[in-house]
């Protein structure tokens, strides 16, 4: 059941993100510079619909996401990277599916950052991130 | 490619994907977290084996001391616990299918391989070595930042905000705000 769900929703999300234009650097750049509000509306509309659906199906519950020193700083680093590459983690993979070869560099960078973070955290940060993830 | 979906169709698709995933797996989807799990699948497998060995030893000892009924009660209780995270194989399935979804969309619109990210990328960021280092360095910031922050656009931005979780609202404001500032600087 979980394999089927991962496969089905993986394809649906990859196809959807591509058709929405979230994997198009220009579209994402125009969202961040407020030249075009379509993607921003897509995002806000999706959050509103998820809010409603989660209320109906789960009473608004999901895994708790802990708040700590890294929440905002990490978010800022992520935002800088997203503006430079036009890619958040799933988008790099969708772009590769779309035959955009430079996304290989983006994905390599993402995987390197993902692999390095836990080491840096243990060595320098060491705050409680509320999970054994890092 | 022109003619992207209108906002309501995109919003409906994304929300149905997220809610459908949550309903069928019992977990909310977070792509950066999946990458992290995939990268450490070996140590995770070792940990899972040790946990299972400990659990079966405890179960055996409990059965010897208290009889089979105690273990039946434990099984009934554990089903109430939240669903475990996706295994590495399930996560890999998701990522491969994410790729296939992009491929399908591109193939249906008669796509070809592209050596660049498009005209907009070339004019906003640049080309050659500048583009390559922006992608590699920017990608590194995406990977490092999402793990530091505990989520990305899917985990914090869509699902976490959809549950009004404080951490996700803070993280989303931070990454969106930073991306706006950098994009405006790149444009000028």
């Amino acid at each position: 059941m979980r394999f089927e769900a991962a496969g089905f929703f993986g394809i649906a999300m990859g196809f959807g993100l591509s058709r929405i234009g979230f994997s198009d650097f220009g579209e994402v750049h125009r969202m961040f510079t407020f030249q075009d509000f379509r993607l921003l509306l897509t995002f806000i509309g999706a959050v509103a619909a998820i809010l409603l659906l989660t209320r109906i199906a789960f009473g608004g519950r999901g895994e708790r996401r802990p708040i700590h020193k890294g929440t905002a700083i990490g978010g800022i680093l992520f935002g800088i990277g997203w503006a430079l590459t036009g890619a958040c983690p799933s988008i790099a993979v969708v772009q590769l599916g779309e035959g955009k070869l430079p996304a290989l560099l983006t994905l390599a960078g993402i995987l390197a950052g993902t692999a390095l973070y836990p080491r840096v955290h243990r060595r320098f940060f060491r705050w409680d991130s509320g999970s054994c993830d890092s | 490619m022109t003619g992207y979906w209108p906002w309501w169709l995109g919003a409906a698709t994304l929300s149905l994907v997220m809610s459908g995933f949550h309903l069928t797996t019992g977990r909310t989807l977070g792509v950066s977290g999946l990458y992290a799990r995939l990268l450490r699948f070996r140590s995770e497998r070792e940990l899972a084996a040790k946990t299972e060995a400990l659990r079966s030893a405890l179960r055996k000892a409990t059965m010897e001391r208290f009889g089979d009924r105690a273990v039946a009660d434990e099984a009934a209780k554990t089903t109430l616990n939240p669903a475990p995270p996706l295994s590495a194989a399930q996560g890999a399935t998701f990522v491969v299918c994410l790729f296939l979804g992009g491929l399908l969309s591109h193939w249906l619109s008669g796509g070809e391989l592209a050596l660049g990210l498009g005209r907009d990328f070339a004019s906003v960021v640049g080309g050659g070595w500048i583009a390559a280092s922006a992608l590699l360095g920017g990608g590194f910031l995406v990977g490092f930042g999402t793990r530091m922050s505990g989520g990305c656009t899917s985990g914090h931005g869509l699902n976490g905000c959809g549950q009004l979780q404080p951490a996700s609202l803070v993280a989303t404001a931070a990454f969106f705000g930073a991306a706006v500032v950098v994009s405006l600087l790149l444009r000028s």
Side-chain angles (χ1 to χ4, degrees):
Chain A
M1 178 64 172
R2 285 183 130 198
F3 273 103
E4 287 89 335
F8 176 78
F9 291 114
I11 290 183
M13 187 169 158
F15 187 84
L17 286 173
S18 169
R19 289 300 158 126
I20 289 166
F22 248 119
S23 50
D24 181 335
F25 179 90
E27 291 288 314
V28 173
H29 184 72
R30 283 187 285 279
M31 164 177 77
F32 287 140
T33 50
F34 304 110
Q35 290 166 284
D36 183 1
F37 289 92
R38 189 183 58 86
L39 278 188
L40 197 59
L41 269 175
T42 304
F43 187 77
I44 293 170
V47 170
I50 290 167
L51 191 72
L52 200 69
L53 290 168
T54 312
R55 279 283 145 86
I56 295 168
F58 303 96
R61 280 190 306 275
E63 297 104 86
R64 278 222 63 72
R65 293 180 176 273
I67 191 161
H68 48 76
K69 283 180 202 153
T71 308
I73 303 168
I76 290 170
L77 296 179
F78 166 36
I80 297 170
W82 192 4
L84 283 172
T85 61
C88 56
S90 58
I91 290 304
V93 171
V94 176
Q95 286 178 334
L96 273 182
E98 293 174 330
K100 291 171 181 155
L101 293 176
L104 275 174
L105 289 172
T106 317
L107 189 62
I110 292 175
L111 293 179
T114 306
L116 192 69
Y117 181 72
R119 289 159 220 267
V120 175
H121 182 91
R122 276 196 296 269
R123 179 82 175 76
F124 298 106
F125 302 157
R126 319 190 74 175
W127 57 70
D128 181 11
S129 53
S131 75
C132 8
D133 268 18
S134 37
Chain B
M1 188 164 82
T2 50
Y4 288 126
W5 282 353
W7 72 269
W8 54 268
L9 184 55
T13 306
L14 286 179
S15 59
L16 287 176
V17 164
M18 295 304 160
S19 301
F21 189 92
H22 194 172
L23 267 178
T24 48
T25 64
R27 300 286 296 191
T28 51
L29 177 66
V31 177
S32 67
L34 274 185
Y35 288 179
R37 295 185 69 79
L38 286 179
L39 285 176
R40 55 158 204 257
F41 85 100
R42 234 183 304 236
S43 60
E44 197 134 297
R45 199 172 46 188
E46 275 167 33
L47 187 67
K50 279 180 192 158
T51 310
E52 192 44 49
L54 184 66
R55 183 174 292 154
S56 64
L58 272 173
R59 190 181 296 129
K60 195 158 160 267
T62 312
M63 278 166 76
E64 275 168 16
R65 180 74 179 77
F66 299 104
D68 292 357
R69 283 236 15 212
V71 180
D73 290 349
E74 181 215 38
K77 270 180 208 147
T78 44
T79 54
L80 292 175
N81 286 343
L86 263 68
S87 70
Q90 290 158 352
T93 305
F94 180 86
V95 175
V96 169
C97 287
L98 194 63
F99 172 86
L100 292 178
L103 187 74
L104 180 69
S105 160
H106 192 53
W107 177 67
L108 286 178
S109 54
E112 293 159 6
L113 283 183
L115 290 172
L117 279 181
R119 219 156 13 105
D120 295 309
F121 180 76
S123 69
V124 171
V125 178
W129 284 108
I130 294 174
S133 32
L135 290 178
L136 207 54
F140 182 86
L141 288 177
V142 170
F144 194 89
T146 50
R147 289 333 294 149
M148 189 174 189
S149 167
C152 60
T153 327
S154 49
H156 270 323
L158 290 171
N159 287 314
C161 285
Q163 294 156 6
L164 299 177
Q165 296 211 25
S168 299
L169 297 173
V170 169
T172 305
F175 69 66
F176 206 89
V180 164
V181 170
V182 173
S183 297
L184 289 172
L185 287 175
L186 282 172
R187 199 184 156 205
S188 57

